[in-house]
Short mmCIF file of all heavy atoms in Angstrom, two decimals:
data_model
loop_
_atom_site.label_atom_id
_atom_site.label_comp_id
_atom_site.label_asym_id
_atom_site.label_seq_id
_atom_site.Cartn_x
_atom_site.Cartn_y
_atom_site.Cartn_z
N MET A 1041 37.17 -0.23 3.81
CA MET A 1041 35.73 -0.22 3.51
C MET A 1041 34.97 -1.05 4.60
O MET A 1041 35.40 -2.15 4.99
CB MET A 1041 35.50 -0.85 2.16
CG MET A 1041 35.59 0.16 1.04
SD MET A 1041 34.12 1.16 0.86
CE MET A 1041 33.08 0.09 -0.16
N ALA A 1042 33.89 -0.50 5.03
CA ALA A 1042 33.06 -1.27 5.98
C ALA A 1042 32.29 -2.33 5.30
O ALA A 1042 31.80 -2.20 4.18
CB ALA A 1042 32.06 -0.29 6.63
N THR A 1043 32.32 -3.53 5.99
CA THR A 1043 31.60 -4.70 5.35
C THR A 1043 30.67 -5.21 6.43
O THR A 1043 30.97 -5.13 7.69
CB THR A 1043 32.56 -5.81 4.98
OG1 THR A 1043 33.83 -5.55 5.52
CG2 THR A 1043 32.60 -6.04 3.51
N PRO A 1044 29.51 -5.74 6.06
CA PRO A 1044 28.62 -6.29 7.04
C PRO A 1044 29.23 -7.53 7.73
O PRO A 1044 29.94 -8.33 7.08
CB PRO A 1044 27.39 -6.73 6.23
CG PRO A 1044 27.61 -6.28 4.82
CD PRO A 1044 28.99 -5.80 4.72
N LYS A 1045 29.03 -7.61 9.03
CA LYS A 1045 29.65 -8.68 9.77
C LYS A 1045 28.95 -10.02 9.50
O LYS A 1045 29.62 -11.09 9.48
CB LYS A 1045 29.58 -8.38 11.25
CG LYS A 1045 30.74 -8.79 12.07
CD LYS A 1045 30.69 -8.11 13.43
CE LYS A 1045 32.08 -8.12 13.99
NZ LYS A 1045 32.16 -7.38 15.27
N ARG A 1046 27.63 -9.99 9.34
CA ARG A 1046 26.87 -11.21 9.06
C ARG A 1046 25.99 -10.97 7.88
O ARG A 1046 25.60 -9.88 7.57
CB ARG A 1046 25.96 -11.58 10.27
CG ARG A 1046 26.79 -11.93 11.46
CD ARG A 1046 25.89 -12.22 12.65
NE ARG A 1046 26.69 -12.44 13.81
CZ ARG A 1046 27.36 -13.55 14.05
NH1 ARG A 1046 27.41 -14.53 13.18
NH2 ARG A 1046 28.11 -13.66 15.15
N ARG A 1047 25.63 -12.04 7.24
CA ARG A 1047 24.69 -11.98 6.10
C ARG A 1047 23.26 -11.74 6.75
O ARG A 1047 22.94 -12.21 7.87
CB ARG A 1047 24.65 -13.17 5.19
CG ARG A 1047 24.21 -14.44 5.87
CD ARG A 1047 24.17 -15.59 4.90
NE ARG A 1047 22.89 -16.24 4.92
CZ ARG A 1047 22.28 -16.87 3.93
NH1 ARG A 1047 22.85 -16.80 2.73
NH2 ARG A 1047 21.14 -17.48 4.11
N ILE A 1048 22.40 -11.06 5.96
CA ILE A 1048 21.04 -10.84 6.43
C ILE A 1048 20.18 -11.99 5.96
O ILE A 1048 20.26 -12.40 4.78
CB ILE A 1048 20.55 -9.50 5.98
CG1 ILE A 1048 21.33 -8.36 6.65
CG2 ILE A 1048 19.05 -9.36 6.25
CD1 ILE A 1048 20.95 -7.01 6.12
N SER A 1049 19.40 -12.58 6.85
CA SER A 1049 18.59 -13.75 6.56
C SER A 1049 17.52 -13.41 5.55
O SER A 1049 17.17 -12.22 5.41
CB SER A 1049 17.95 -14.34 7.82
OG SER A 1049 17.00 -13.38 8.30
N HIS A 1050 17.02 -14.43 4.89
CA HIS A 1050 15.97 -14.27 3.89
C HIS A 1050 14.74 -13.58 4.59
O HIS A 1050 14.11 -12.67 4.04
CB HIS A 1050 15.49 -15.61 3.34
CG HIS A 1050 16.22 -15.95 2.10
ND1 HIS A 1050 15.72 -15.65 0.84
CD2 HIS A 1050 17.40 -16.63 1.92
CE1 HIS A 1050 16.62 -16.09 -0.04
NE2 HIS A 1050 17.61 -16.68 0.55
N ALA A 1051 14.39 -14.05 5.78
CA ALA A 1051 13.20 -13.50 6.50
C ALA A 1051 13.39 -12.10 6.72
O ALA A 1051 12.46 -11.28 6.49
CB ALA A 1051 13.05 -14.31 7.81
N ARG A 1052 14.57 -11.64 7.13
CA ARG A 1052 14.75 -10.20 7.43
C ARG A 1052 14.69 -9.39 6.16
O ARG A 1052 14.01 -8.29 6.14
CB ARG A 1052 16.10 -10.00 8.06
CG ARG A 1052 16.16 -8.74 8.91
CD ARG A 1052 17.38 -8.70 9.75
NE ARG A 1052 17.81 -7.28 9.85
CZ ARG A 1052 18.90 -6.93 10.48
NH1 ARG A 1052 19.71 -7.80 11.09
NH2 ARG A 1052 19.18 -5.69 10.55
N THR A 1053 15.28 -9.88 5.07
CA THR A 1053 15.19 -9.13 3.79
C THR A 1053 13.74 -9.05 3.36
O THR A 1053 13.29 -7.98 2.94
CB THR A 1053 16.04 -9.92 2.75
OG1 THR A 1053 17.36 -9.99 3.25
CG2 THR A 1053 16.04 -9.14 1.45
N HIS A 1054 13.03 -10.17 3.42
CA HIS A 1054 11.69 -10.17 2.89
C HIS A 1054 10.73 -9.40 3.76
O HIS A 1054 9.84 -8.81 3.30
CB HIS A 1054 11.23 -11.64 2.70
CG HIS A 1054 11.93 -12.27 1.55
ND1 HIS A 1054 11.58 -13.58 1.14
CD2 HIS A 1054 12.84 -11.88 0.72
CE1 HIS A 1054 12.39 -13.93 0.12
NE2 HIS A 1054 13.12 -12.89 -0.20
N ASN A 1055 10.98 -9.35 5.10
CA ASN A 1055 10.14 -8.53 5.98
C ASN A 1055 10.30 -7.08 5.58
O ASN A 1055 9.34 -6.32 5.56
CB ASN A 1055 10.53 -8.81 7.40
CG ASN A 1055 9.79 -9.95 8.07
OD1 ASN A 1055 8.65 -10.24 7.62
ND2 ASN A 1055 10.41 -10.51 9.05
N ARG A 1056 11.54 -6.68 5.38
CA ARG A 1056 11.83 -5.26 5.04
C ARG A 1056 11.17 -4.94 3.73
O ARG A 1056 10.50 -3.87 3.58
CB ARG A 1056 13.33 -5.05 4.97
CG ARG A 1056 13.66 -3.62 4.75
CD ARG A 1056 15.19 -3.35 4.70
NE ARG A 1056 15.79 -4.12 3.65
CZ ARG A 1056 16.73 -4.98 3.77
NH1 ARG A 1056 17.15 -5.40 4.98
NH2 ARG A 1056 17.23 -5.59 2.72
N LYS A 1057 11.27 -5.84 2.71
CA LYS A 1057 10.64 -5.59 1.39
C LYS A 1057 9.21 -5.53 1.49
O LYS A 1057 8.54 -4.67 0.82
CB LYS A 1057 11.08 -6.69 0.42
CG LYS A 1057 12.38 -6.45 -0.23
CD LYS A 1057 12.66 -7.39 -1.42
CE LYS A 1057 13.92 -7.09 -2.08
NZ LYS A 1057 14.23 -7.99 -3.16
N ALA A 1058 8.61 -6.44 2.28
CA ALA A 1058 7.14 -6.43 2.40
C ALA A 1058 6.65 -5.11 3.01
O ALA A 1058 5.62 -4.56 2.57
CB ALA A 1058 6.71 -7.60 3.29
N LYS A 1059 7.31 -4.60 3.99
CA LYS A 1059 6.94 -3.33 4.67
C LYS A 1059 7.06 -2.22 3.71
O LYS A 1059 6.23 -1.29 3.65
CB LYS A 1059 7.71 -3.12 5.93
CG LYS A 1059 7.10 -3.82 7.11
CD LYS A 1059 7.93 -3.64 8.33
CE LYS A 1059 7.31 -4.54 9.40
NZ LYS A 1059 8.26 -4.79 10.47
N PHE A 1060 8.16 -2.24 2.90
CA PHE A 1060 8.34 -1.14 1.95
C PHE A 1060 7.29 -1.17 0.91
O PHE A 1060 6.68 -0.14 0.57
CB PHE A 1060 9.76 -1.26 1.29
CG PHE A 1060 9.93 -0.36 0.17
CD1 PHE A 1060 10.12 1.05 0.39
CD2 PHE A 1060 9.94 -0.81 -1.15
CE1 PHE A 1060 10.30 1.90 -0.62
CE2 PHE A 1060 10.20 0.08 -2.17
CZ PHE A 1060 10.32 1.46 -1.91
N LEU A 1061 7.02 -2.34 0.37
CA LEU A 1061 5.99 -2.40 -0.76
C LEU A 1061 4.60 -2.09 -0.21
O LEU A 1061 3.79 -1.57 -0.96
CB LEU A 1061 6.01 -3.84 -1.37
CG LEU A 1061 7.27 -4.08 -2.18
CD1 LEU A 1061 7.29 -5.53 -2.65
CD2 LEU A 1061 7.43 -3.15 -3.32
N ALA A 1062 4.32 -2.44 1.07
CA ALA A 1062 3.02 -2.12 1.65
C ALA A 1062 2.82 -0.59 1.76
O ALA A 1062 1.68 -0.15 1.74
CB ALA A 1062 2.84 -2.80 3.01
N SER A 1063 3.93 0.15 1.86
CA SER A 1063 3.81 1.59 1.99
C SER A 1063 3.56 2.27 0.64
O SER A 1063 3.22 3.45 0.63
CB SER A 1063 5.10 2.14 2.65
OG SER A 1063 6.14 2.08 1.66
N LEU A 1064 3.73 1.54 -0.39
CA LEU A 1064 3.50 2.11 -1.73
C LEU A 1064 2.12 1.94 -2.26
O LEU A 1064 1.85 1.39 -3.32
CB LEU A 1064 4.49 1.46 -2.79
CG LEU A 1064 5.99 1.53 -2.52
CD1 LEU A 1064 6.72 0.81 -3.61
CD2 LEU A 1064 6.40 3.01 -2.48
N THR A 1065 1.14 2.39 -1.46
CA THR A 1065 -0.20 2.28 -1.92
C THR A 1065 -0.66 3.59 -2.61
O THR A 1065 -0.10 4.63 -2.37
CB THR A 1065 -1.16 2.03 -0.68
OG1 THR A 1065 -0.84 3.06 0.28
CG2 THR A 1065 -0.95 0.65 -0.09
N ALA A 1066 -1.66 3.42 -3.47
CA ALA A 1066 -2.19 4.60 -4.20
C ALA A 1066 -2.87 5.59 -3.16
O ALA A 1066 -3.40 5.11 -2.16
CB ALA A 1066 -3.20 4.15 -5.23
N PRO A 1067 -2.85 6.88 -3.43
CA PRO A 1067 -3.45 7.78 -2.54
C PRO A 1067 -4.97 7.65 -2.51
O PRO A 1067 -5.55 7.20 -3.53
CB PRO A 1067 -3.07 9.20 -3.08
CG PRO A 1067 -2.62 8.94 -4.45
CD PRO A 1067 -2.13 7.53 -4.58
N GLU A 1068 -5.58 8.03 -1.39
CA GLU A 1068 -7.04 7.95 -1.26
C GLU A 1068 -7.68 8.89 -2.24
O GLU A 1068 -7.28 10.01 -2.37
CB GLU A 1068 -7.40 8.47 0.13
CG GLU A 1068 -7.81 7.52 1.26
CD GLU A 1068 -8.35 6.17 0.88
OE1 GLU A 1068 -9.50 6.01 0.59
OE2 GLU A 1068 -7.53 5.22 0.91
N VAL A 1069 -8.69 8.36 -2.94
CA VAL A 1069 -9.34 9.15 -3.97
C VAL A 1069 -10.87 9.21 -3.69
O VAL A 1069 -11.43 8.19 -3.28
CB VAL A 1069 -9.12 8.58 -5.38
CG1 VAL A 1069 -10.02 9.16 -6.42
CG2 VAL A 1069 -7.65 8.73 -5.77
N THR A 1070 -11.48 10.37 -3.83
CA THR A 1070 -12.90 10.51 -3.68
C THR A 1070 -13.45 11.27 -4.86
O THR A 1070 -12.68 11.61 -5.80
CB THR A 1070 -13.22 11.26 -2.40
OG1 THR A 1070 -14.61 11.42 -2.26
CG2 THR A 1070 -12.56 12.64 -2.34
N THR A 1071 -14.79 11.57 -4.90
CA THR A 1071 -15.33 12.30 -6.01
C THR A 1071 -15.66 13.69 -5.55
O THR A 1071 -16.12 13.88 -4.40
CB THR A 1071 -16.56 11.61 -6.58
OG1 THR A 1071 -17.45 11.29 -5.54
CG2 THR A 1071 -16.22 10.30 -7.28
N CYS A 1072 -15.52 14.67 -6.46
CA CYS A 1072 -15.82 16.02 -6.17
C CYS A 1072 -17.36 16.20 -5.99
O CYS A 1072 -18.08 15.76 -6.91
CB CYS A 1072 -15.27 16.97 -7.30
SG CYS A 1072 -15.77 18.65 -7.11
N PRO A 1073 -17.84 16.78 -4.94
CA PRO A 1073 -19.29 16.90 -4.79
C PRO A 1073 -19.89 17.93 -5.75
O PRO A 1073 -21.08 17.93 -5.96
CB PRO A 1073 -19.45 17.41 -3.34
CG PRO A 1073 -18.19 18.02 -3.01
CD PRO A 1073 -17.10 17.30 -3.80
N ARG A 1074 -19.03 18.80 -6.32
CA ARG A 1074 -19.55 19.81 -7.24
C ARG A 1074 -19.63 19.36 -8.73
O ARG A 1074 -20.65 19.52 -9.34
CB ARG A 1074 -18.70 21.10 -7.13
CG ARG A 1074 -19.25 22.26 -7.84
CD ARG A 1074 -18.52 23.54 -7.44
NE ARG A 1074 -19.11 24.67 -8.13
CZ ARG A 1074 -18.51 25.11 -9.25
NH1 ARG A 1074 -17.50 24.52 -9.79
NH2 ARG A 1074 -19.04 26.16 -9.89
N CYS A 1075 -18.50 18.73 -9.21
CA CYS A 1075 -18.50 18.35 -10.60
C CYS A 1075 -18.39 16.88 -10.84
O CYS A 1075 -18.48 16.40 -11.90
CB CYS A 1075 -17.34 19.09 -11.31
SG CYS A 1075 -15.74 18.59 -10.73
N GLY A 1076 -18.19 16.11 -9.76
CA GLY A 1076 -18.16 14.66 -9.90
C GLY A 1076 -16.88 14.11 -10.40
O GLY A 1076 -16.72 12.88 -10.57
N GLU A 1077 -15.86 14.99 -10.51
CA GLU A 1077 -14.55 14.47 -10.93
C GLU A 1077 -13.84 13.75 -9.79
O GLU A 1077 -14.14 14.06 -8.65
CB GLU A 1077 -13.66 15.76 -11.31
CG GLU A 1077 -12.46 15.48 -12.14
CD GLU A 1077 -12.81 15.09 -13.60
OE1 GLU A 1077 -13.79 15.65 -14.11
OE2 GLU A 1077 -12.07 14.31 -14.15
N SER A 1078 -13.02 12.80 -10.05
CA SER A 1078 -12.32 12.14 -9.02
C SER A 1078 -11.12 12.97 -8.52
O SER A 1078 -10.33 13.47 -9.27
CB SER A 1078 -11.79 10.76 -9.49
OG SER A 1078 -10.92 10.86 -10.58
N VAL A 1079 -11.03 13.18 -7.15
CA VAL A 1079 -10.14 14.04 -6.55
C VAL A 1079 -9.45 13.33 -5.40
O VAL A 1079 -10.04 12.48 -4.77
CB VAL A 1079 -10.86 15.29 -5.95
CG1 VAL A 1079 -9.91 16.39 -5.59
CG2 VAL A 1079 -11.92 15.74 -6.90
N GLN A 1080 -8.19 13.69 -5.17
CA GLN A 1080 -7.51 13.17 -3.97
C GLN A 1080 -8.08 13.82 -2.72
O GLN A 1080 -8.49 14.97 -2.77
CB GLN A 1080 -6.01 13.60 -4.04
CG GLN A 1080 -5.15 12.42 -4.44
CD GLN A 1080 -3.70 12.85 -4.37
OE1 GLN A 1080 -3.20 13.22 -3.27
NE2 GLN A 1080 -2.94 12.80 -5.43
N THR A 1081 -8.17 13.13 -1.66
CA THR A 1081 -8.77 13.63 -0.42
C THR A 1081 -7.87 14.72 0.11
O THR A 1081 -6.65 14.67 -0.01
CB THR A 1081 -8.92 12.54 0.66
OG1 THR A 1081 -7.70 11.89 0.78
CG2 THR A 1081 -10.02 11.58 0.27
N HIS A 1082 -8.46 15.74 0.70
CA HIS A 1082 -7.75 16.92 1.32
C HIS A 1082 -7.03 17.71 0.25
O HIS A 1082 -5.99 18.35 0.55
CB HIS A 1082 -6.77 16.49 2.43
CG HIS A 1082 -7.46 15.60 3.46
ND1 HIS A 1082 -7.19 14.27 3.55
CD2 HIS A 1082 -8.46 15.91 4.35
CE1 HIS A 1082 -7.95 13.77 4.52
NE2 HIS A 1082 -8.71 14.73 5.03
N ARG A 1083 -7.48 17.66 -1.03
CA ARG A 1083 -6.94 18.47 -2.10
C ARG A 1083 -8.07 19.20 -2.78
O ARG A 1083 -9.17 18.68 -2.86
CB ARG A 1083 -6.16 17.58 -3.06
CG ARG A 1083 -5.01 16.81 -2.59
CD ARG A 1083 -3.83 17.73 -2.33
NE ARG A 1083 -2.64 16.94 -2.00
CZ ARG A 1083 -2.40 16.49 -0.80
NH1 ARG A 1083 -3.28 16.70 0.19
NH2 ARG A 1083 -1.33 15.81 -0.51
N ALA A 1084 -7.81 20.39 -3.32
CA ALA A 1084 -8.73 21.13 -4.08
C ALA A 1084 -9.00 20.36 -5.39
O ALA A 1084 -8.10 19.69 -5.94
CB ALA A 1084 -8.33 22.52 -4.41
N CYS A 1085 -10.22 20.42 -5.97
CA CYS A 1085 -10.53 19.82 -7.19
C CYS A 1085 -9.84 20.51 -8.35
O CYS A 1085 -9.86 21.66 -8.42
CB CYS A 1085 -12.07 19.79 -7.42
SG CYS A 1085 -12.56 19.12 -9.02
N SER A 1086 -9.07 19.76 -9.16
CA SER A 1086 -8.37 20.35 -10.31
C SER A 1086 -9.28 20.76 -11.46
O SER A 1086 -8.91 21.54 -12.24
CB SER A 1086 -7.29 19.38 -10.79
OG SER A 1086 -7.84 18.22 -11.20
N ALA A 1087 -10.49 20.18 -11.45
CA ALA A 1087 -11.39 20.47 -12.59
C ALA A 1087 -12.23 21.80 -12.29
O ALA A 1087 -12.34 22.57 -13.19
CB ALA A 1087 -12.37 19.28 -12.81
N CYS A 1088 -12.69 21.95 -11.06
CA CYS A 1088 -13.51 23.13 -10.81
C CYS A 1088 -12.85 24.09 -9.80
O CYS A 1088 -13.31 25.19 -9.58
CB CYS A 1088 -14.92 22.73 -10.37
SG CYS A 1088 -14.99 21.85 -8.87
N GLY A 1089 -11.76 23.65 -9.13
CA GLY A 1089 -11.06 24.52 -8.23
C GLY A 1089 -11.70 24.76 -6.88
O GLY A 1089 -11.37 25.60 -6.12
N TYR A 1090 -12.67 23.82 -6.55
CA TYR A 1090 -13.39 23.98 -5.23
C TYR A 1090 -12.84 23.04 -4.20
O TYR A 1090 -12.46 21.91 -4.47
CB TYR A 1090 -14.91 23.64 -5.49
CG TYR A 1090 -15.70 24.90 -5.77
CD1 TYR A 1090 -15.43 25.66 -6.96
CD2 TYR A 1090 -16.67 25.37 -4.86
CE1 TYR A 1090 -16.13 26.76 -7.24
CE2 TYR A 1090 -17.42 26.53 -5.20
CZ TYR A 1090 -17.15 27.19 -6.36
OH TYR A 1090 -17.82 28.37 -6.64
N TYR A 1091 -12.81 23.53 -2.97
CA TYR A 1091 -12.50 22.71 -1.81
C TYR A 1091 -13.31 23.13 -0.62
O TYR A 1091 -13.39 24.30 -0.33
CB TYR A 1091 -11.02 22.80 -1.53
CG TYR A 1091 -10.53 21.98 -0.35
CD1 TYR A 1091 -10.67 20.54 -0.48
CD2 TYR A 1091 -10.21 22.49 0.88
CE1 TYR A 1091 -10.25 19.71 0.54
CE2 TYR A 1091 -9.82 21.65 1.89
CZ TYR A 1091 -9.88 20.28 1.78
OH TYR A 1091 -9.53 19.48 2.78
N ARG A 1092 -14.05 22.19 -0.04
CA ARG A 1092 -14.94 22.41 1.08
C ARG A 1092 -15.97 23.52 0.80
O ARG A 1092 -16.17 24.46 1.62
CB ARG A 1092 -14.17 22.76 2.34
CG ARG A 1092 -13.32 21.56 2.83
CD ARG A 1092 -12.59 21.87 4.05
NE ARG A 1092 -13.51 21.96 5.25
CZ ARG A 1092 -13.16 22.22 6.48
NH1 ARG A 1092 -11.87 22.40 6.77
NH2 ARG A 1092 -13.96 22.26 7.43
N GLY A 1093 -16.59 23.49 -0.42
CA GLY A 1093 -17.65 24.32 -0.69
C GLY A 1093 -17.29 25.76 -1.13
O GLY A 1093 -18.13 26.59 -1.37
N ARG A 1094 -16.02 26.06 -1.28
CA ARG A 1094 -15.65 27.35 -1.80
C ARG A 1094 -14.49 27.25 -2.83
O ARG A 1094 -13.74 26.30 -2.81
CB ARG A 1094 -15.36 28.39 -0.69
CG ARG A 1094 -13.97 28.20 -0.15
CD ARG A 1094 -13.85 29.01 1.16
NE ARG A 1094 -12.51 28.68 1.70
CZ ARG A 1094 -11.47 29.34 1.43
NH1 ARG A 1094 -11.44 30.37 0.63
NH2 ARG A 1094 -10.29 28.97 1.93
N GLN A 1095 -14.45 28.29 -3.67
CA GLN A 1095 -13.39 28.28 -4.75
C GLN A 1095 -12.02 28.68 -4.16
O GLN A 1095 -11.90 29.64 -3.49
CB GLN A 1095 -13.78 29.26 -5.85
CG GLN A 1095 -12.76 29.20 -7.02
CD GLN A 1095 -13.42 29.19 -8.37
OE1 GLN A 1095 -14.45 29.86 -8.53
NE2 GLN A 1095 -12.93 28.45 -9.24
N VAL A 1096 -11.07 27.78 -4.39
CA VAL A 1096 -9.74 28.08 -3.86
C VAL A 1096 -8.69 28.17 -5.00
O VAL A 1096 -7.53 28.64 -4.75
CB VAL A 1096 -9.31 27.06 -2.78
CG1 VAL A 1096 -10.09 27.25 -1.50
CG2 VAL A 1096 -9.44 25.66 -3.28
N LEU A 1097 -9.08 27.73 -6.16
CA LEU A 1097 -8.12 27.73 -7.28
C LEU A 1097 -8.75 28.50 -8.45
O LEU A 1097 -9.98 28.41 -8.62
CB LEU A 1097 -7.76 26.32 -7.73
CG LEU A 1097 -6.91 25.44 -6.89
CD1 LEU A 1097 -6.74 24.10 -7.49
CD2 LEU A 1097 -5.51 26.10 -6.63
N LYS A 1098 -7.95 29.18 -9.22
CA LYS A 1098 -8.44 29.74 -10.47
C LYS A 1098 -8.37 28.72 -11.54
O LYS A 1098 -7.34 28.23 -11.85
CB LYS A 1098 -7.68 30.99 -10.84
CG LYS A 1098 -8.15 32.26 -10.07
CD LYS A 1098 -7.57 33.47 -10.73
CE LYS A 1098 -8.19 34.69 -10.07
NZ LYS A 1098 -7.55 35.95 -10.48
N VAL A 1099 -9.53 28.42 -12.13
CA VAL A 1099 -9.60 27.39 -13.19
C VAL A 1099 -10.09 28.15 -14.47
O VAL A 1099 -11.06 28.93 -14.41
CB VAL A 1099 -10.47 26.26 -12.83
CG1 VAL A 1099 -10.55 25.24 -13.99
CG2 VAL A 1099 -10.02 25.58 -11.56
N ALA A 1100 -9.38 27.97 -15.59
CA ALA A 1100 -9.70 28.65 -16.80
C ALA A 1100 -11.11 28.36 -17.26
O ALA A 1100 -11.87 29.28 -17.73
CB ALA A 1100 -8.71 28.24 -17.92
N GLU A 1101 -11.55 27.08 -17.19
CA GLU A 1101 -12.80 26.66 -17.71
C GLU A 1101 -13.83 26.65 -16.57
O GLU A 1101 -13.86 25.76 -15.79
CB GLU A 1101 -12.66 25.26 -18.35
CG GLU A 1101 -13.68 25.02 -19.44
CD GLU A 1101 -13.52 23.58 -20.01
OE1 GLU A 1101 -12.52 22.98 -19.78
OE2 GLU A 1101 -14.50 23.14 -20.66
N GLU A 1102 -14.69 27.68 -16.54
CA GLU A 1102 -15.72 27.73 -15.49
C GLU A 1102 -17.09 27.65 -16.13
O GLU A 1102 -17.35 28.27 -17.18
CB GLU A 1102 -15.66 29.06 -14.74
CG GLU A 1102 -14.86 28.97 -13.43
CD GLU A 1102 -15.51 28.01 -12.36
OE1 GLU A 1102 -16.74 28.13 -12.21
OE2 GLU A 1102 -14.77 27.29 -11.77
N GLU A 1103 -17.97 26.84 -15.58
CA GLU A 1103 -19.33 26.68 -16.14
C GLU A 1103 -20.26 27.76 -15.64
O GLU A 1103 -20.24 28.06 -14.49
CB GLU A 1103 -19.95 25.34 -15.82
CG GLU A 1103 -19.15 24.16 -16.22
CD GLU A 1103 -18.92 23.23 -14.99
OE1 GLU A 1103 -19.93 22.81 -14.39
OE2 GLU A 1103 -17.80 22.99 -14.59
ZN1 ZN B 434 -14.81 19.65 -8.97
#
């Protein structure tokens, strides 16, 4: 079995953990210009199915 030659210092472990945890941020969220629902950026709105001013998804509930 391969074993590590040296122990990893606290600083190295914590630097790696800090970088990993910093990458776990919530996705960017904006509001839909059509219905005002909160939507992820660069995604079609799940409430009205619109993206960049036109309908791209079929949504059962249409006003
Ligand atoms: Zn919408």
Side-chain angles (χ1 to χ4, degrees):
M1041 275 281 274
T1043 12
K1045 218 166 199 174
R1046 293 181 186 284
R1047 68 175 228 150
I1048 292 174
S1049 67
H1050 269 268
R1052 203 169 146 183
T1053 303
H1054 288 182
N1055 273 331
R1056 188 180 60 239
K1057 274 194 180 177
K1059 275 178 188 160
F1060 172 70
L1061 290 174
S1063 72
L1064 299 179
T1065 50
E1068 253 343 273
V1069 169
T1070 180
T1071 51
C1072 174
R1074 190 165 177 267
C1075 66
E1077 198 71 33
S1078 57
V1079 194
Q1080 259 186 56
T1081 51
H1082 309 108
R1083 297 286 186 279
C1085 175
S1086 59
C1088 64
Y1090 267 64
Y1091 182 64
R1092 295 184 70 181
R1094 78 193 174 88
Q1095 181 134 40
V1096 291
L1097 290 178
K1098 275 195 178 174
V1099 181
E1101 209 181 341
E1102 266 294 319
E1103 304 127 58

